[in-house]
Amino acid sequence: MFAFEFDSRHPAGVSADEKITALYTDRYQLAMALAYWKNGRADEPACFDYFFRKIPFGGGFVVSAGLETLLQLLSGLRFTVDDLSYLAREGFPEPFLEELRRFRFRGRIAAAREGEPVFPLEPVLRCEGGLLETQVVETLILNVLNFQSLIATKAARCVRVAGDRAVSEFGLRRAQGPGGLWASRAAAVGGCGSTSNLAAGRLYGIPTAGTMAHSFVQSHDDELSAFRAFADVHGPGAILLLDTYNTLKSGLPNAIRVAKEMEERGVALRGVRLDSGDLAYLARRVREALDAEGLANVSIVASNRLDEHVIRSLDEQKAPIDLFGIGTSLAVGLPDAALDGVYKLCMAGNKPRMKFSETVAKANFPGVKTVSRYRDEDGFFQADAIHLAGEDAPDEMRHPWEPAKRLSLAGMESEPLLHEALVDGERREAPRSTTEIAAYAKERLALLPPEYHRFENPHVYKVGLSPGLESLRNDIHRKMEERIEP
């Protein structure tokens, strides 16, 4: 009963009102940048990988989100006069500040397209350029991609379990400050059809939705007067909140009365909202009463601490709910609250580099790399192979940490996962609207077999290394061990 249309004219980036400058970084990035510059290494070729190690929410995939936001920010990234004055007060030397005054990101970004399902350990984004510029942008990359990918993934889970019922993001009031803007955008990427956030609606072309608060009802002398006043103003767009006093004994009868009065004027009430109590029970009682009064077209909206698990429970109880309004859990990504994406150096000075760790899984893979995705004969995604950028898509891949485990890829169709997004700091493709990205995410998630969408014990998607990358990793590891042995 609820249909929302995105405004495809809006870009999926950020507005000039978002005052993010190159100072949006951690101090240690500039501390390292100063040392690189002082030692004549600022322009030394470098490459970093952005990837994550663990899928949030106990799920089987992550929806990559935030790339358009990131690309637009990188294209205009500058240290302002105020930024440089502040850094001078912080003790950074004037000659270095002059270097930062000229800072522009002129590197290369290759990344999975926004909306793509991605998996642990594989590079989701590759950043190449001078050592200084690729280091300075680390915090921005992590901040944008980690947060938006987390929220888009949460949204995709909620939307999937909601089936053909609409899902709206209502989380701005509980979001982490201004992060609520990106949360609304990412929720749309993940499949939410609307948002309560008017700023996000304007910036990203997302349809907006809203009902009324309890305060509106309380501000009137009685509930019926409140409903009449709201319906008189909003007409066919009116949705009445039923639970200010008593859902079944007060809110529902008054809503029915107003709906009937509207019918006499040739106007249909759009819906009613339930925001507390036993939602499944109340929804059934409300639906029965509305239908008995010939109001089958009046929709039921449910809110109040919803997430994908509550929606699934409501679905199992066959609750006749038409739209789910999800707030806190979606806007902040509960219960995980963060994606553990990292940004690791894999090449510097044209030499492959890697981090070693006593925890094997915390090491990264060396060299400039790319990823090939493989499909089965039915077109479904089956595996992703990480390989060196100069290699062809391999016919076999090895488990990252268990060399005895190998998977033949022969006969499967492959496609590149990473695509050039920025070259010499310039866009390679036109920006995509939120509409286009959301449609792409839906299309690509449909190619992920159902076992990866399960909430309990989802299949672990296969990500492995090409023989060439495995050999390079092992060779570097062996040489490092020889160096550190007493």
Side-chain angles (χ1 to χ4, degrees), residues 1 161-166 274 276-288 291 298-303 306 309-324:
M1 295 183 184
V161 76
D164 60 358
R165 276 84 53 85
L274 303 171
S276 62
D278 186 329
L279 295 178
Y281 168 76
L282 291 173
R284 283 195 295 271
R285 294 288 302 275
V286 169
R287 184 76 274 157
E288 290 167 0
D291 291 351
V298 175
S299 298
I300 298 176
V301 178
S303 53
L306 299 183
H309 300 287
V310 175
I311 294 173
R312 181 173 67 170
S313 174
L314 291 168
D315 183 61
E316 290 170 347
Q317 297 174 71
K318 302 188 185 310
I321 294 169
D322 302 294
L323 182 145
F324 299 100

mmCIF file of all heavy atoms in Angstrom, residues 1 161-166 274 276-288 291 298-303 306 309-324:
data_model
loop_
_atom_site.group_PDB
_atom_site.id
_atom_site.type_symbol
_atom_site.label_atom_id
_atom_site.label_comp_id
_atom_site.label_asym_id
_atom_site.label_seq_id
_atom_site.Cartn_x
_atom_site.Cartn_y
_atom_site.Cartn_z
ATOM 1 N N MET A 1 0.812 -1.206 0.000
ATOM 2 C CA MET A 1 0.000 0.000 0.000
ATOM 3 C C MET A 1 0.852 1.265 0.000
ATOM 4 O O MET A 1 0.368 2.338 -0.292
ATOM 5 C CB MET A 1 -0.930 -0.003 1.204
ATOM 6 C CG MET A 1 -1.980 -1.107 1.195
ATOM 7 S SD MET A 1 -3.084 -0.959 2.608
ATOM 8 C CE MET A 1 -4.081 -2.430 2.378
ATOM 9 N N VAL A 161 13.797 -9.233 5.157
ATOM 10 C CA VAL A 161 12.836 -9.964 5.975
ATOM 11 C C VAL A 161 11.453 -9.326 5.907
ATOM 12 O O VAL A 161 10.436 -9.992 6.131
ATOM 13 C CB VAL A 161 13.338 -10.084 7.430
ATOM 14 C CG1 VAL A 161 13.175 -8.793 8.193
ATOM 15 C CG2 VAL A 161 12.662 -11.231 8.157
ATOM 16 N N ALA A 162 11.390 -8.041 5.555
ATOM 17 C CA ALA A 162 10.093 -7.377 5.423
ATOM 18 C C ALA A 162 9.356 -7.814 4.163
ATOM 19 O O ALA A 162 8.144 -7.612 4.046
ATOM 20 C CB ALA A 162 10.270 -5.863 5.414
ATOM 21 N N GLY A 163 10.069 -8.399 3.222
ATOM 22 C CA GLY A 163 9.436 -8.889 2.007
ATOM 23 C C GLY A 163 8.861 -7.752 1.182
ATOM 24 O O GLY A 163 9.549 -6.782 0.859
ATOM 25 N N ASP A 164 7.559 -7.849 0.860
ATOM 26 C CA ASP A 164 6.942 -6.816 0.018
ATOM 27 C C ASP A 164 6.366 -5.661 0.831
ATOM 28 O O ASP A 164 5.726 -4.767 0.285
ATOM 29 C CB ASP A 164 5.863 -7.425 -0.873
ATOM 30 C CG ASP A 164 4.743 -8.094 -0.072
ATOM 31 O OD1 ASP A 164 4.819 -8.114 1.173
ATOM 32 O OD2 ASP A 164 3.801 -8.614 -0.703
ATOM 33 N N ARG A 165 6.577 -5.674 2.159
ATOM 34 C CA ARG A 165 6.159 -4.539 2.986
ATOM 35 C C ARG A 165 7.213 -3.439 2.940
ATOM 36 O O ARG A 165 8.401 -3.725 2.851
ATOM 37 C CB ARG A 165 5.944 -4.968 4.444
ATOM 38 C CG ARG A 165 4.581 -5.556 4.730
ATOM 39 C CD ARG A 165 4.501 -7.045 4.393
ATOM 40 N NE ARG A 165 5.538 -7.833 5.001
ATOM 41 C CZ ARG A 165 5.463 -8.335 6.243
ATOM 42 N NH1 ARG A 165 4.403 -8.102 6.992
ATOM 43 N NH2 ARG A 165 6.426 -9.083 6.709
ATOM 44 N N ALA A 166 6.773 -2.199 3.011
ATOM 45 C CA ALA A 166 7.697 -1.069 2.931
ATOM 46 C C ALA A 166 8.479 -0.918 4.244
ATOM 47 O O ALA A 166 7.994 -1.249 5.325
ATOM 48 C CB ALA A 166 6.924 0.217 2.636
ATOM 49 N N LEU A 274 0.991 2.179 14.968
ATOM 50 C CA LEU A 274 1.131 1.537 16.275
ATOM 51 C C LEU A 274 2.556 1.735 16.742
ATOM 52 O O LEU A 274 3.503 1.405 16.019
ATOM 53 C CB LEU A 274 0.826 0.044 16.169
ATOM 54 C CG LEU A 274 -0.554 -0.325 15.613
ATOM 55 C CD1 LEU A 274 -0.650 -1.829 15.360
ATOM 56 C CD2 LEU A 274 -1.642 0.130 16.572
ATOM 57 N N SER A 276 3.541 1.083 20.295
ATOM 58 C CA SER A 276 3.823 0.452 21.586
ATOM 59 C C SER A 276 2.944 -0.778 21.720
ATOM 60 O O SER A 276 2.030 -1.012 20.926
ATOM 61 C CB SER A 276 3.554 1.424 22.745
ATOM 62 O OG SER A 276 2.189 1.810 22.769
ATOM 63 N N GLY A 277 3.247 -1.567 22.755
ATOM 64 C CA GLY A 277 2.433 -2.736 23.050
ATOM 65 C C GLY A 277 2.784 -3.940 22.196
ATOM 66 O O GLY A 277 3.811 -3.976 21.512
ATOM 67 N N ASP A 278 1.907 -4.928 22.241
ATOM 68 C CA ASP A 278 2.079 -6.163 21.474
ATOM 69 C C ASP A 278 1.679 -5.866 20.035
ATOM 70 O O ASP A 278 0.499 -5.897 19.670
ATOM 71 C CB ASP A 278 1.187 -7.259 22.077
ATOM 72 C CG ASP A 278 1.408 -8.609 21.438
ATOM 73 O OD1 ASP A 278 1.750 -8.662 20.235
ATOM 74 O OD2 ASP A 278 1.218 -9.632 22.119
ATOM 75 N N LEU A 279 2.661 -5.583 19.195
ATOM 76 C CA LEU A 279 2.372 -5.107 17.849
ATOM 77 C C LEU A 279 1.615 -6.128 17.008
ATOM 78 O O LEU A 279 0.731 -5.761 16.222
ATOM 79 C CB LEU A 279 3.668 -4.697 17.147
ATOM 80 C CG LEU A 279 4.414 -3.498 17.745
ATOM 81 C CD1 LEU A 279 5.704 -3.231 16.976
ATOM 82 C CD2 LEU A 279 3.537 -2.257 17.745
ATOM 83 N N ALA A 280 1.951 -7.407 17.146
ATOM 84 C CA ALA A 280 1.267 -8.435 16.351
ATOM 85 C C ALA A 280 -0.211 -8.513 16.743
ATOM 86 O O ALA A 280 -1.103 -8.527 15.886
ATOM 87 C CB ALA A 280 1.943 -9.782 16.526
ATOM 88 N N TYR A 281 -0.467 -8.564 18.044
ATOM 89 C CA TYR A 281 -1.856 -8.644 18.536
ATOM 90 C C TYR A 281 -2.638 -7.407 18.141
ATOM 91 O O TYR A 281 -3.758 -7.476 17.608
ATOM 92 C CB TYR A 281 -1.846 -8.817 20.051
ATOM 93 C CG TYR A 281 -3.199 -8.626 20.700
ATOM 94 C CD1 TYR A 281 -4.176 -9.612 20.613
ATOM 95 C CD2 TYR A 281 -3.493 -7.443 21.390
ATOM 96 C CE1 TYR A 281 -5.422 -9.422 21.205
ATOM 97 C CE2 TYR A 281 -4.727 -7.255 21.984
ATOM 98 C CZ TYR A 281 -5.693 -8.249 21.884
ATOM 99 O OH TYR A 281 -6.924 -8.070 22.460
ATOM 100 N N LEU A 282 -2.052 -6.242 18.393
ATOM 101 C CA LEU A 282 -2.756 -4.995 18.103
ATOM 102 C C LEU A 282 -3.005 -4.832 16.604
ATOM 103 O O LEU A 282 -4.075 -4.366 16.187
ATOM 104 C CB LEU A 282 -1.952 -3.812 18.635
ATOM 105 C CG LEU A 282 -1.866 -3.698 20.167
ATOM 106 C CD1 LEU A 282 -0.901 -2.593 20.560
ATOM 107 C CD2 LEU A 282 -3.247 -3.449 20.767
ATOM 108 N N ALA A 283 -2.018 -5.197 15.791
ATOM 109 C CA ALA A 283 -2.195 -5.068 14.347
ATOM 110 C C ALA A 283 -3.358 -5.922 13.855
ATOM 111 O O ALA A 283 -4.148 -5.485 12.997
ATOM 112 C CB ALA A 283 -0.914 -5.445 13.618
ATOM 113 N N ARG A 284 -3.487 -7.133 14.383
ATOM 114 C CA ARG A 284 -4.608 -8.000 13.981
ATOM 115 C C ARG A 284 -5.943 -7.384 14.379
ATOM 116 O O ARG A 284 -6.894 -7.368 13.596
ATOM 117 C CB ARG A 284 -4.445 -9.387 14.586
ATOM 118 C CG ARG A 284 -3.422 -10.250 13.871
ATOM 119 C CD ARG A 284 -3.547 -11.706 14.272
ATOM 120 N NE ARG A 284 -3.226 -11.910 15.686
ATOM 121 C CZ ARG A 284 -1.994 -12.165 16.137
ATOM 122 N NH1 ARG A 284 -0.976 -12.224 15.282
ATOM 123 N NH2 ARG A 284 -1.767 -12.346 17.414
ATOM 124 N N ARG A 285 -6.025 -6.889 15.623
ATOM 125 C CA ARG A 285 -7.274 -6.290 16.089
ATOM 126 C C ARG A 285 -7.617 -5.036 15.281
ATOM 127 O O ARG A 285 -8.783 -4.800 14.932
ATOM 128 C CB ARG A 285 -7.164 -5.951 17.580
ATOM 129 C CG ARG A 285 -7.040 -7.153 18.502
ATOM 130 C CD ARG A 285 -8.356 -7.922 18.601
ATOM 131 N NE ARG A 285 -9.449 -7.071 19.068
ATOM 132 C CZ ARG A 285 -9.716 -6.821 20.345
ATOM 133 N NH1 ARG A 285 -8.966 -7.372 21.312
ATOM 134 N NH2 ARG A 285 -10.752 -6.056 20.681
ATOM 135 N N VAL A 286 -6.631 -4.232 15.003
ATOM 136 C CA VAL A 286 -6.858 -3.012 14.226
ATOM 137 C C VAL A 286 -7.298 -3.349 12.810
ATOM 138 O O VAL A 286 -8.243 -2.750 12.272
ATOM 139 C CB VAL A 286 -5.586 -2.132 14.222
ATOM 140 C CG1 VAL A 286 -5.711 -0.996 13.203
ATOM 141 C CG2 VAL A 286 -5.326 -1.560 15.613
ATOM 142 N N ARG A 287 -6.626 -4.330 12.204
ATOM 143 C CA ARG A 287 -6.994 -4.709 10.837
ATOM 144 C C ARG A 287 -8.420 -5.233 10.771
ATOM 145 O O ARG A 287 -9.180 -4.898 9.850
ATOM 146 C CB ARG A 287 -6.013 -5.773 10.347
ATOM 147 C CG ARG A 287 -6.194 -6.234 8.893
ATOM 148 C CD ARG A 287 -5.656 -5.214 7.915
ATOM 149 N NE ARG A 287 -6.612 -4.185 7.561
ATOM 150 C CZ ARG A 287 -6.277 -2.991 7.093
ATOM 151 N NH1 ARG A 287 -5.017 -2.646 6.950
ATOM 152 N NH2 ARG A 287 -7.215 -2.121 6.786
ATOM 153 N N GLU A 288 -8.798 -6.058 11.735
ATOM 154 C CA GLU A 288 -10.157 -6.605 11.769
ATOM 155 C C GLU A 288 -11.188 -5.483 11.871
ATOM 156 O O GLU A 288 -12.205 -5.481 11.161
ATOM 157 C CB GLU A 288 -10.307 -7.561 12.948
ATOM 158 C CG GLU A 288 -9.534 -8.855 12.803
ATOM 159 C CD GLU A 288 -9.447 -9.639 14.105
ATOM 160 O OE1 GLU A 288 -9.998 -9.153 15.124
ATOM 161 O OE2 GLU A 288 -8.817 -10.700 14.122
ATOM 162 N N ASP A 291 -11.289 -3.364 8.585
ATOM 163 C CA ASP A 291 -11.948 -4.096 7.503
ATOM 164 C C ASP A 291 -13.457 -4.182 7.723
ATOM 165 O O ASP A 291 -14.240 -4.077 6.772
ATOM 166 C CB ASP A 291 -11.352 -5.502 7.370
ATOM 167 C CG ASP A 291 -9.916 -5.490 6.857
ATOM 168 O OD1 ASP A 291 -9.442 -4.407 6.444
ATOM 169 O OD2 ASP A 291 -9.269 -6.549 6.869
ATOM 170 N N VAL A 298 -7.009 1.396 4.402
ATOM 171 C CA VAL A 298 -6.243 2.121 5.423
ATOM 172 C C VAL A 298 -5.089 1.219 5.877
ATOM 173 O O VAL A 298 -5.308 0.097 6.340
ATOM 174 C CB VAL A 298 -7.136 2.503 6.622
ATOM 175 C CG1 VAL A 298 -6.289 3.144 7.726
ATOM 176 C CG2 VAL A 298 -8.225 3.463 6.178
ATOM 177 N N SER A 299 -3.875 1.706 5.721
ATOM 178 C CA SER A 299 -2.687 0.911 6.035
ATOM 179 C C SER A 299 -2.333 0.970 7.515
ATOM 180 O O SER A 299 -2.725 1.903 8.228
ATOM 181 C CB SER A 299 -1.503 1.406 5.203
ATOM 182 O OG SER A 299 -1.752 1.248 3.832
ATOM 183 N N ILE A 300 -1.551 -0.022 7.946
ATOM 184 C CA ILE A 300 -1.057 -0.068 9.324
ATOM 185 C C ILE A 300 0.458 0.098 9.306
ATOM 186 O O ILE A 300 1.175 -0.661 8.646
ATOM 187 C CB ILE A 300 -1.443 -1.387 10.009
ATOM 188 C CG1 ILE A 300 -2.976 -1.516 10.085
ATOM 189 C CG2 ILE A 300 -0.828 -1.464 11.413
ATOM 190 C CD1 ILE A 300 -3.456 -2.837 10.663
ATOM 191 N N VAL A 301 0.915 1.091 10.021
ATOM 192 C CA VAL A 301 2.342 1.372 10.180
ATOM 193 C C VAL A 301 2.752 0.952 11.592
ATOM 194 O O VAL A 301 2.030 1.231 12.554
ATOM 195 C CB VAL A 301 2.635 2.878 9.976
ATOM 196 C CG1 VAL A 301 4.115 3.180 10.198
ATOM 197 C CG2 VAL A 301 2.194 3.318 8.582
ATOM 198 N N ALA A 302 3.886 0.278 11.708
ATOM 199 C CA ALA A 302 4.395 -0.120 13.028
ATOM 200 C C ALA A 302 5.769 0.474 13.251
ATOM 201 O O ALA A 302 6.598 0.548 12.341
ATOM 202 C CB ALA A 302 4.456 -1.639 13.145
ATOM 203 N N SER A 303 6.014 0.925 14.480
ATOM 204 C CA SER A 303 7.323 1.426 14.877
ATOM 205 C C SER A 303 7.568 0.959 16.309
ATOM 206 O O SER A 303 6.817 0.155 16.837
ATOM 207 C CB SER A 303 7.382 2.963 14.755
ATOM 208 O OG SER A 303 6.310 3.568 15.449
ATOM 209 N N LEU A 306 12.082 -1.564 16.458
ATOM 210 C CA LEU A 306 12.086 -2.626 15.459
ATOM 211 C C LEU A 306 13.504 -2.890 14.958
ATOM 212 O O LEU A 306 14.345 -2.002 14.914
ATOM 213 C CB LEU A 306 11.202 -2.248 14.275
ATOM 214 C CG LEU A 306 9.717 -1.995 14.537
ATOM 215 C CD1 LEU A 306 9.008 -1.702 13.228
ATOM 216 C CD2 LEU A 306 9.076 -3.181 15.247
ATOM 217 N N HIS A 309 15.089 -8.813 13.444
ATOM 218 C CA HIS A 309 14.601 -9.969 14.206
ATOM 219 C C HIS A 309 13.162 -9.756 14.663
ATOM 220 O O HIS A 309 12.341 -10.686 14.621
ATOM 221 C CB HIS A 309 15.524 -10.222 15.400
ATOM 222 C CG HIS A 309 16.939 -10.506 14.996
ATOM 223 N ND1 HIS A 309 17.318 -11.698 14.414
ATOM 224 C CD2 HIS A 309 18.055 -9.742 15.070
ATOM 225 C CE1 HIS A 309 18.624 -11.658 14.149
ATOM 226 N NE2 HIS A 309 19.080 -10.482 14.540
ATOM 227 N N VAL A 310 12.828 -8.545 15.082
ATOM 228 C CA VAL A 310 11.449 -8.249 15.466
ATOM 229 C C VAL A 310 10.538 -8.336 14.240
ATOM 230 O O VAL A 310 9.433 -8.893 14.306
ATOM 231 C CB VAL A 310 11.355 -6.862 16.122
ATOM 232 C CG1 VAL A 310 9.892 -6.506 16.404
ATOM 233 C CG2 VAL A 310 12.169 -6.818 17.410
ATOM 234 N N ILE A 311 10.998 -7.818 13.113
ATOM 235 C CA ILE A 311 10.187 -7.890 11.894
ATOM 236 C C ILE A 311 9.953 -9.343 11.499
ATOM 237 O O ILE A 311 8.839 -9.717 11.106
ATOM 238 C CB ILE A 311 10.869 -7.112 10.745
ATOM 239 C CG1 ILE A 311 10.899 -5.617 11.074
ATOM 240 C CG2 ILE A 311 10.147 -7.350 9.430
ATOM 241 C CD1 ILE A 311 11.699 -4.792 10.088
ATOM 242 N N ARG A 312 10.984 -10.163 11.614
ATOM 243 C CA ARG A 312 10.796 -11.577 11.283
ATOM 244 C C ARG A 312 9.772 -12.216 12.217
ATOM 245 O O ARG A 312 8.919 -12.998 11.779
ATOM 246 C CB ARG A 312 12.125 -12.332 11.368
ATOM 247 C CG ARG A 312 11.979 -13.810 11.003
ATOM 248 C CD ARG A 312 13.293 -14.518 10.921
ATOM 249 N NE ARG A 312 13.947 -14.626 12.217
ATOM 250 C CZ ARG A 312 15.034 -15.373 12.436
ATOM 251 N NH1 ARG A 312 15.582 -16.044 11.435
ATOM 252 N NH2 ARG A 312 15.577 -15.421 13.629
ATOM 253 N N SER A 313 9.828 -11.883 13.508
ATOM 254 C CA SER A 313 8.854 -12.421 14.457
ATOM 255 C C SER A 313 7.443 -11.974 14.108
ATOM 256 O O SER A 313 6.496 -12.771 14.143
ATOM 257 C CB SER A 313 9.214 -11.976 15.879
ATOM 258 O OG SER A 313 8.222 -12.378 16.796
ATOM 259 N N LEU A 314 7.286 -10.710 13.758
ATOM 260 C CA LEU A 314 5.974 -10.204 13.371
ATOM 261 C C LEU A 314 5.470 -10.906 12.112
ATOM 262 O O LEU A 314 4.281 -11.220 11.984
ATOM 263 C CB LEU A 314 6.031 -8.696 13.144
ATOM 264 C CG LEU A 314 6.256 -7.839 14.398
ATOM 265 C CD1 LEU A 314 6.574 -6.403 14.018
ATOM 266 C CD2 LEU A 314 5.048 -7.898 15.325
ATOM 267 N N ASP A 315 6.373 -11.177 11.197
ATOM 268 C CA ASP A 315 5.995 -11.891 9.981
ATOM 269 C C ASP A 315 5.554 -13.312 10.297
ATOM 270 O O ASP A 315 4.561 -13.808 9.738
ATOM 271 C CB ASP A 315 7.179 -11.898 9.011
ATOM 272 C CG ASP A 315 6.837 -12.554 7.693
ATOM 273 O OD1 ASP A 315 5.929 -12.066 7.005
ATOM 274 O OD2 ASP A 315 7.468 -13.577 7.346
ATOM 275 N N GLU A 316 6.286 -13.981 11.195
ATOM 276 C CA GLU A 316 5.923 -15.341 11.581
ATOM 277 C C GLU A 316 4.552 -15.380 12.262
ATOM 278 O O GLU A 316 3.826 -16.376 12.167
ATOM 279 C CB GLU A 316 6.991 -15.917 12.511
ATOM 280 C CG GLU A 316 8.313 -16.206 11.793
ATOM 281 C CD GLU A 316 9.439 -16.544 12.756
ATOM 282 O OE1 GLU A 316 9.261 -16.315 13.986
ATOM 283 O OE2 GLU A 316 10.501 -17.016 12.294
ATOM 284 N N GLN A 317 4.209 -14.278 12.948
ATOM 285 C CA GLN A 317 2.901 -14.185 13.598
ATOM 286 C C GLN A 317 1.813 -13.674 12.650
ATOM 287 O O GLN A 317 0.673 -13.471 13.065
ATOM 288 C CB GLN A 317 2.996 -13.257 14.813
ATOM 289 C CG GLN A 317 3.931 -13.757 15.906
ATOM 290 C CD GLN A 317 4.088 -12.729 17.000
ATOM 291 O OE1 GLN A 317 3.149 -12.496 17.773
ATOM 292 N NE2 GLN A 317 5.250 -12.093 17.080
ATOM 293 N N LYS A 318 2.206 -13.482 11.383
ATOM 294 C CA LYS A 318 1.279 -13.005 10.348
ATOM 295 C C LYS A 318 0.612 -11.680 10.736
ATOM 296 O O LYS A 318 -0.580 -11.473 10.504
ATOM 297 C CB LYS A 318 0.221 -14.067 10.031
ATOM 298 C CG LYS A 318 0.824 -15.394 9.568
ATOM 299 C CD LYS A 318 -0.219 -16.357 9.068
ATOM 300 C CE LYS A 318 0.375 -17.722 8.715
ATOM 301 N NZ LYS A 318 1.572 -17.646 7.843
ATOM 302 N N ALA A 319 1.404 -10.816 11.334
ATOM 303 C CA ALA A 319 0.890 -9.494 11.708
ATOM 304 C C ALA A 319 0.605 -8.688 10.442
ATOM 305 O O ALA A 319 1.489 -8.533 9.589
ATOM 306 C CB ALA A 319 1.918 -8.763 12.574
ATOM 307 N N PRO A 320 -0.595 -8.155 10.288
ATOM 308 C CA PRO A 320 -0.970 -7.432 9.068
ATOM 309 C C PRO A 320 -0.442 -6.004 9.057
ATOM 310 O O PRO A 320 -1.204 -5.029 9.135
ATOM 311 C CB PRO A 320 -2.496 -7.476 9.099
ATOM 312 C CG PRO A 320 -2.827 -7.480 10.557
ATOM 313 C CD PRO A 320 -1.739 -8.280 11.226
ATOM 314 N N ILE A 321 0.870 -5.877 8.977
ATOM 315 C CA ILE A 321 1.527 -4.568 9.001
ATOM 316 C C ILE A 321 1.999 -4.242 7.590
ATOM 317 O O ILE A 321 2.578 -5.094 6.909
ATOM 318 C CB ILE A 321 2.702 -4.580 9.998
ATOM 319 C CG1 ILE A 321 2.160 -4.761 11.424
ATOM 320 C CG2 ILE A 321 3.528 -3.300 9.886
ATOM 321 C CD1 ILE A 321 3.226 -5.057 12.459
ATOM 322 N N ASP A 322 1.765 -3.018 7.165
ATOM 323 C CA ASP A 322 2.090 -2.606 5.798
ATOM 324 C C ASP A 322 3.409 -1.854 5.684
ATOM 325 O O ASP A 322 4.032 -1.857 4.621
ATOM 326 C CB ASP A 322 0.966 -1.720 5.246
ATOM 327 C CG ASP A 322 -0.372 -2.429 5.259
ATOM 328 O OD1 ASP A 322 -0.526 -3.417 4.522
ATOM 329 O OD2 ASP A 322 -1.256 -2.009 6.035
ATOM 330 N N LEU A 323 3.816 -1.191 6.745
ATOM 331 C CA LEU A 323 5.069 -0.438 6.712
ATOM 332 C C LEU A 323 5.738 -0.515 8.070
ATOM 333 O O LEU A 323 5.078 -0.370 9.102
ATOM 334 C CB LEU A 323 4.826 1.025 6.343
ATOM 335 C CG LEU A 323 6.078 1.920 6.223
ATOM 336 C CD1 LEU A 323 5.899 2.961 5.120
ATOM 337 C CD2 LEU A 323 6.423 2.631 7.535
ATOM 338 N N PHE A 324 7.047 -0.733 8.054
ATOM 339 C CA PHE A 324 7.841 -0.769 9.282
ATOM 340 C C PHE A 324 8.707 0.486 9.346
ATOM 341 O O PHE A 324 9.470 0.771 8.419
ATOM 342 C CB PHE A 324 8.741 -2.003 9.315
ATOM 343 C CG PHE A 324 7.984 -3.302 9.282
ATOM 344 C CD1 PHE A 324 7.856 -4.020 8.101
ATOM 345 C CD2 PHE A 324 7.398 -3.811 10.432
ATOM 346 C CE1 PHE A 324 7.160 -5.215 8.060
ATOM 347 C CE2 PHE A 324 6.693 -5.010 10.400
ATOM 348 C CZ PHE A 324 6.576 -5.717 9.209
#
